[in-house]
Amino acid sequence: MPATSPAPRRARSGNRRDEAARLAVLHAADDLLVEHGFGALTIEAIARRAGVAKQTIYRWWPSKVEILLDTLIEDSEKRLPVPAEKATAEIIRGYLRDFERFLNGDPAGRVLLAIIAEAQHDPGTAKNFHERYLGPRRERERAMLVRATDVGEISPKLDPDATIDALVGPIVYCALTGSSIPGSVLDTLFEDLLRPR
Amino acid sequence: MPATSPAPRRARSGNRRDEAARLAVLHAADDLLVEHGFGALTIEAIARRAGVAKQTIYRWWPSKVEILLDTLIEDSEKRLPVPAEKATAEIIRGYLRDFERFLNGDPAGRVLLAIIAEAQHDPGTAKNFHERYLGPRRERERAMLVRATDVGEISPKLDPDATIDALVGPIVYCALTGSSIPGSVLDTLFEDLLRPR
Amino acid sequence: MPATSPAPRRARSGNRRDEAARLAVLHAADDLLVEHGFGALTIEAIARRAGVAKQTIYRWWPSKVEILLDTLIEDSEKRLPVPAEKATAEIIRGYLRDFERFLNGDPAGRVLLAIIAEAQHDPGTAKNFHERYLGPRRERERAMLVRATDVGEISPKLDPDATIDALVGPIVYCALTGSSIPGSVLDTLFEDLLRPR
Amino acid sequence: MPATSPAPRRARSGNRRDEAARLAVLHAADDLLVEHGFGALTIEAIARRAGVAKQTIYRWWPSKVEILLDTLIEDSEKRLPVPAEKATAEIIRGYLRDFERFLNGDPAGRVLLAIIAEAQHDPGTAKNFHERYLGPRRERERAMLVRATDVGEISPKLDPDATIDALVGPIVYCALTGSSIPGSVLDTLFEDLLRPR
DNA sequence: CGATAAGCGAGACGGTACGTCAGGTCTTGTG
DNA sequence: CACAAGACCTGACGTACCGTCTCGCTTATCG
């Protein structure tokens, strides 16, 4: 009688990285940020909450912001993916609205704002933030715009990067100052800068 | 016979607030931020640098961000005043360009970015930042726009607040991400959103 | 009418050293050593027990052994003074017996043994132990012997230092190995090496 | 079919204890103690230096002091054997002088002092030290004295154990306090306590 | 004019978190 | 099954700042 399941059992630790610990840290950091704010986000608190040793954190992350960056990358991939297939004007408009909702409603959006903030205080954070998040994402946003332009869905007034800055800038700025940009304003900017067909 | 000068001399201490100490603290905070970044901006470092006792700082400022806020308010009044007299399209365009230069070139601009950042981490800071800086300044910016509109210099597509967010947002966002928005992009937004005569 | 007391009141802290904290640390260290052994004598434990901040300990003592050295010096001054007045054979014999009892019965004796031990592990400790305890005490012991010799109370076979080593050595050695030298043996060595009148 | 030997060659690992690893650990511990002092004697450092896994140490030794005890036992058997054949006064005197040289000159002597020290800090160490080193050695020293007494080589004033304490005590005490007892003093004690023929 | 009261530099104090090190346990994969 | 390797939790290390406090001084104000 042949081979019941391979019994994965518990393989909690060994000489390989412990996935459970990794996730516990990511979630602990996320939760602490959302529940008690960035001020409560200390390595000790994360370790305590995750049920993990401080050393385990220091072994795998150079700073607490890198932890946030990890959660941000994983979360924004799921919750705010850059549309990668067909690029219609409507899809782009939807992305902008999702972006606004992400920043003002989603816990992961709080993480993004916190990292932007921390990047002002520390050049190392700024560098990693660009290399690991902003850069790659901008790449895909630019590609989305170019595709839509090629297809004739939109005909932007400015070059792709400037266009993105002009559209995303107000959204982020409003989120940073605690307000939330109205959908109608978003629409006006969208119509105005992209001139959709 | 009209009283020889009151000889203010150095009044290093006494029973009234010591202006020299106040200025020393403001400058020390400013300098530390610019030279070594926000991470080096501790109360102890400010006190050390200013040659002042910690208690003197705690007596007059509730937190180190309030010190920055004080310097920001004084400095941006001097270096980036909101035009309050006549409001022509050209004056508004100049203000936007000055704003960009302020953020990316002036030490006081670094202070503003640092405070925006800190406001993400701490609600109290956010509140004070709005009440003491953002709010009053927005008031004057709005007034400037209204005046220009009334006079027929511009005819904005959006209501004043949305207009300001849409113009200032990209400038701030670019500064926050370490880049610097090109003048040409600024001009396009300006033309587009304000439709100057 | 001779001036009622100058009202010392409580002056618990200020910009001068806090005597209460100093004593709390000394006692905490002492107690921990006696109750849980040298292994439990960590700076953190001392601070915890004394109700004192770690920094307060580091401010005044370079190492935990120096704390022990402080208690040892204060305590052995009280509990095992070197006879400084008249020096008869009987007084010297009494001192030797007291020394044995100090090492094997008194908590302060445990402190002495612990410091001797720690001096084996760390040259700095050895140096301080000699300069602050062993040296000055040996001085007084030597003086006691010389005085007794001059008066004709004893006529030692060896020079003073060798005599002390020969008498104290067995006492300390037995204490270190957990046994306790019999009084009769002490008497034999005493008679033999000092040849009292 | 030539049945070449089973090629034992280097049997670095397998299912029996690896003698090379055992020796590497003992030597690493010894070297570290001599070169950098007891403070540098950590399990991790020993493992590093011996090129051995920590687990290998924990598998065979309950504590680092037991490692030292192992080296001490092996070394002092070779370098400071208790004379077991004929016991003349001269041989005993030589043993005392060798003992003094062992403590003050031989690396293995440093190990003995370190263990004595550590025994003050930890009762478990004290117990093992007595059972594995002090006890058996004292046995042989006592036997040596008894033999010499029976033969009439010496006629000690005190019982064997007290005699040994009285002779060895000053030697050890001087070594512990960093000085070194003069040979002449040793001779005086020897003559005085043993009264050799 | 002398008492009072406040601001000041200085710095000790009880704390929290930092980033590092070692302890001792456990698991993996190799020989 | 012993071993090298090394991840893991625990807890102490010594340091930096936090925000509060007392000290001894100087100086303006007021009775």
Side-chain angles (χ1 to χ4, degrees):
Chain A
M1 205 210 340
T4 47
S5 80
R9 249 169 298 185
R10 67 191 295 283
R12 212 203 87 204
S13 87
N15 73 357
R16 289 286 170 268
R17 179 165 188 180
D18 184 345
E19 179 68 7
R22 191 187 133 258
L23 290 176
V25 168
L26 294 184
H27 292 150
D30 219 348
D31 294 353
L32 282 171
L33 183 69
V34 170
E35 289 172 27
H36 303 93
F38 192 85
L41 196 72
T42 66
I43 298 280
E44 303 229 313
I46 297 171
R48 213 146 45 216
R49 174 112 173 197
V52 139
K54 268 199 297 177
Q55 188 54 48
T56 297
I57 297 182
Y58 284 111
R59 189 166 14 243
W60 300 109
W61 289 277
S63 81
K64 66 187 175 189
V65 192
E66 292 287 288
I67 302 176
L68 289 183
L69 208 38
D70 277 9
T71 78
L72 175 64
I73 289 169
E74 296 202 1
D75 286 1
S76 65
E77 212 56 50
K78 288 178 208 147
R79 306 249 261 282
L80 185 67
V82 180
E85 303 291 319
K86 46 185 178 276
T88 66
E90 221 36 55
I91 281 177
I92 294 172
R93 189 212 299 271
Y95 177 68
L96 289 175
R97 289 185 169 254
D98 287 349
F99 194 85
E100 189 276 328
R101 248 174 273 128
F102 179 76
L103 277 188
N104 291 100
D106 197 302
R110 297 298 314 158
V111 174
L112 174 53
L113 294 177
I115 295 177
I116 291 176
E118 209 49 24
Q120 308 309 307
H121 293 158
D122 172 46
T125 293
K127 186 162 171 294
N128 288 320
F129 178 45
H130 273 83
E131 288 176 5
R132 299 190 54 204
Y133 186 81
L134 268 195
R137 177 160 277 262
R138 171 62 59 105
E139 201 75 40
R140 280 174 281 164
E141 290 168 338
R142 200 188 299 118
M144 175 177 70
L145 246 56
V146 169
R147 250 180 295 124
T149 310
D150 288 351
V151 170
E153 277 281 326
I154 56 174
S155 47
K157 263 186 191 146
L158 297 161
D159 69 277
D161 274 309
T163 306
I164 299 170
D165 284 336
L167 288 168
V168 162
I171 302 176
V172 171
Y173 179 71
C174 284
L176 286 168
T177 55
S179 62
S180 148
I181 201 164
S184 58
V185 174
L186 229 47
D187 284 344
T188 303
L189 286 172
F190 171 77
E191 302 281 342
D192 224 55
L193 291 167
L194 298 187
R195 293 181 303 190
R197 182 170 36 132
Chain B
M1 195 203 5
T4 49
S5 79
R9 252 173 295 181
R10 65 188 299 283
R12 207 202 89 203
S13 83
N15 71 353
R16 283 290 170 264
R17 179 165 189 181
D18 184 344
E19 178 67 6
R22 190 187 135 261
L23 289 176
V25 168
L26 293 183
H27 292 150
D30 219 346
D31 293 352
L32 282 171
L33 182 69
V34 170
E35 288 173 28
H36 306 318
F38 191 87
L41 198 73
T42 67
I43 298 280
E44 305 229 314
I46 297 172
R48 215 145 43 216
R49 174 116 175 193
V52 139
K54 273 201 296 175
Q55 187 55 42
T56 299
I57 297 182
Y58 284 110
R59 187 161 20 238
W60 300 109
W61 290 276
S63 81
K64 66 186 175 190
V65 192
E66 293 287 290
I67 303 175
L68 289 184
L69 210 38
D70 278 9
T71 78
L72 175 63
I73 289 169
E74 297 203 0
D75 286 0
S76 65
E77 212 57 50
K78 287 179 211 147
R79 307 248 261 280
L80 185 68
V82 181
E85 304 291 321
K86 45 184 181 280
T88 65
E90 221 36 55
I91 280 177
I92 294 173
R93 189 212 298 271
Y95 177 67
L96 289 175
R97 287 184 169 255
D98 287 349
F99 195 86
E100 190 275 329
R101 249 175 270 128
F102 180 74
L103 278 188
N104 292 100
D106 198 301
R110 296 298 316 157
V111 175
L112 174 52
L113 294 177
I115 295 178
I116 291 176
E118 207 50 24
Q120 307 309 308
H121 294 336
D122 171 46
T125 294
K127 185 161 172 294
N128 288 319
F129 177 47
H130 273 85
E131 288 176 4
R132 301 189 54 206
Y133 186 81
L134 268 195
R137 176 160 278 260
R138 172 61 59 105
E139 202 75 40
R140 280 174 281 162
E141 289 167 340
R142 201 188 297 117
M144 173 177 71
L145 246 56
V146 169
R147 249 180 296 123
T149 309
D150 288 351
V151 169
E153 276 282 325
I154 55 174
S155 49
K157 262 185 192 148
L158 298 160
D159 71 275
D161 275 309
T163 305
I164 299 170
D165 285 336
L167 289 168
V168 161
I171 301 175
V172 171
Y173 179 71
C174 284
L176 286 169
T177 55
S179 60
S180 145
I181 201 164
S184 59
V185 174
L186 229 47
D187 284 345
T188 303
L189 287 172
F190 172 76
E191 303 280 342
D192 224 56
L193 292 166
L194 299 186
R195 293 181 301 190
R197 181 168 38 129
Chain C
M1 203 220 327
T4 49
S5 78
R9 248 170 300 185
R10 67 190 294 283
R12 211 205 87 203
S13 90
N15 71 358
R16 289 286 170 269
R17 180 165 188 180
D18 183 346
E19 178 68 6
R22 192 187 132 258
L23 289 176
V25 168
L26 294 184
H27 291 150
D30 218 347
D31 294 353
L32 282 171
L33 182 69
V34 169
E35 288 172 28
H36 303 95
F38 192 87
L41 197 72
T42 66
I43 299 280
E44 303 231 313
I46 297 171
R48 215 146 42 217
R49 174 114 175 195
V52 139
K54 267 200 297 178
Q55 189 54 47
T56 297
I57 298 182
Y58 285 110
R59 184 157 29 233
W60 300 109
W61 290 275
S63 81
K64 66 187 174 188
V65 191
E66 292 286 290
I67 303 176
L68 289 183
L69 208 40
D70 277 9
T71 77
L72 175 63
I73 288 169
E74 296 202 3
D75 286 2
S76 66
E77 212 56 49
K78 287 179 210 145
R79 307 248 261 281
L80 185 68
V82 180
E85 304 291 320
K86 46 183 180 280
T88 66
E90 219 37 54
I91 280 177
I92 294 173
R93 188 211 299 273
Y95 178 68
L96 289 174
R97 289 186 168 252
D98 288 349
F99 194 87
E100 189 276 328
R101 248 175 271 128
F102 179 76
L103 277 188
N104 293 98
D106 196 302
R110 296 299 312 159
V111 174
L112 175 52
L113 294 178
I115 295 177
I116 291 176
E118 209 48 24
Q120 308 308 307
H121 293 157
D122 172 46
T125 294
K127 185 162 172 294
N128 287 321
F129 177 45
H130 272 83
E131 287 176 5
R132 300 189 54 205
Y133 186 81
L134 269 195
R137 177 160 280 260
R138 171 61 58 105
E139 201 74 39
R140 281 174 281 163
E141 290 168 339
R142 200 187 298 117
M144 172 178 72
L145 246 55
V146 169
R147 249 180 296 121
T149 309
D150 288 350
V151 170
E153 275 283 324
I154 56 174
S155 48
K157 262 186 192 148
L158 297 161
D159 70 277
D161 274 310
T163 305
I164 299 170
D165 285 337
L167 288 168
V168 162
I171 301 175
V172 171
Y173 179 71
C174 284
L176 286 168
T177 55
S179 61
S180 145
I181 201 164
S184 59
V185 174
L186 229 46
D187 284 346
T188 303
L189 287 173
F190 171 77
E191 302 280 343
D192 224 55
L193 292 166
L194 299 187
R195 292 181 304 189
R197 184 169 35 138
Chain D
M1 194 202 8
T4 46
S5 75
R9 253 173 293 181
R10 64 188 299 282
R12 206 201 92 200
S13 80
N15 69 355
R16 285 288 169 268
R17 178 164 189 181
D18 183 344
E19 178 68 6
R22 191 186 134 261
L23 290 176
V25 168
L26 293 183
H27 291 149
D30 219 348
D31 294 353
L32 281 172
L33 182 69
V34 170
E35 288 172 27
H36 307 334
F38 191 86
L41 197 72
T42 67
I43 298 280
E44 304 229 316
I46 297 172
R48 214 145 43 216
R49 173 117 176 192
V52 139
K54 273 202 295 177
Q55 187 55 44
T56 298
I57 296 181
Y58 284 110
R59 189 160 21 236
W60 301 108
W61 289 276
S63 81
K64 66 185 174 189
V65 192
E66 292 287 289
I67 302 175
L68 288 183
L69 209 40
D70 277 9
T71 78
L72 175 64
I73 289 169
E74 296 203 2
D75 287 1
S76 66
E77 212 57 48
K78 288 177 209 147
R79 308 250 261 280
L80 186 68
V82 181
E85 303 291 321
K86 46 186 180 272
T88 65
E90 219 38 52
I91 280 178
I92 294 173
R93 188 212 299 270
Y95 178 68
L96 289 175
R97 290 185 166 253
D98 288 349
F99 195 86
E100 189 275 329
R101 248 174 273 129
F102 179 75
L103 277 188
N104 292 100
D106 197 301
R110 295 300 313 159
V111 174
L112 175 52
L113 294 177
I115 295 177
I116 291 176
E118 207 50 24
Q120 307 309 306
H121 293 337
D122 171 46
T125 294
K127 187 163 170 293
N128 288 319
F129 177 47
H130 273 84
E131 288 176 4
R132 299 189 54 204
Y133 186 82
L134 268 195
R137 176 161 278 262
R138 171 62 59 106
E139 201 75 40
R140 280 174 280 163
E141 290 168 337
R142 201 189 297 117
M144 175 178 69
L145 245 55
V146 169
R147 251 179 295 123
T149 310
D150 288 351
V151 170
E153 276 281 325
I154 55 173
S155 48
K157 260 184 193 151
L158 297 160
D159 69 275
D161 274 310
T163 305
I164 299 170
D165 285 337
L167 289 168
V168 162
I171 301 175
V172 171
Y173 178 71
C174 284
L176 286 168
T177 56
S179 61
S180 146
I181 200 164
S184 59
V185 173
L186 229 47
D187 285 344
T188 303
L189 285 172
F190 172 77
E191 303 280 343
D192 224 56
L193 291 167
L194 298 187
R195 292 181 303 190
R197 183 168 37 128

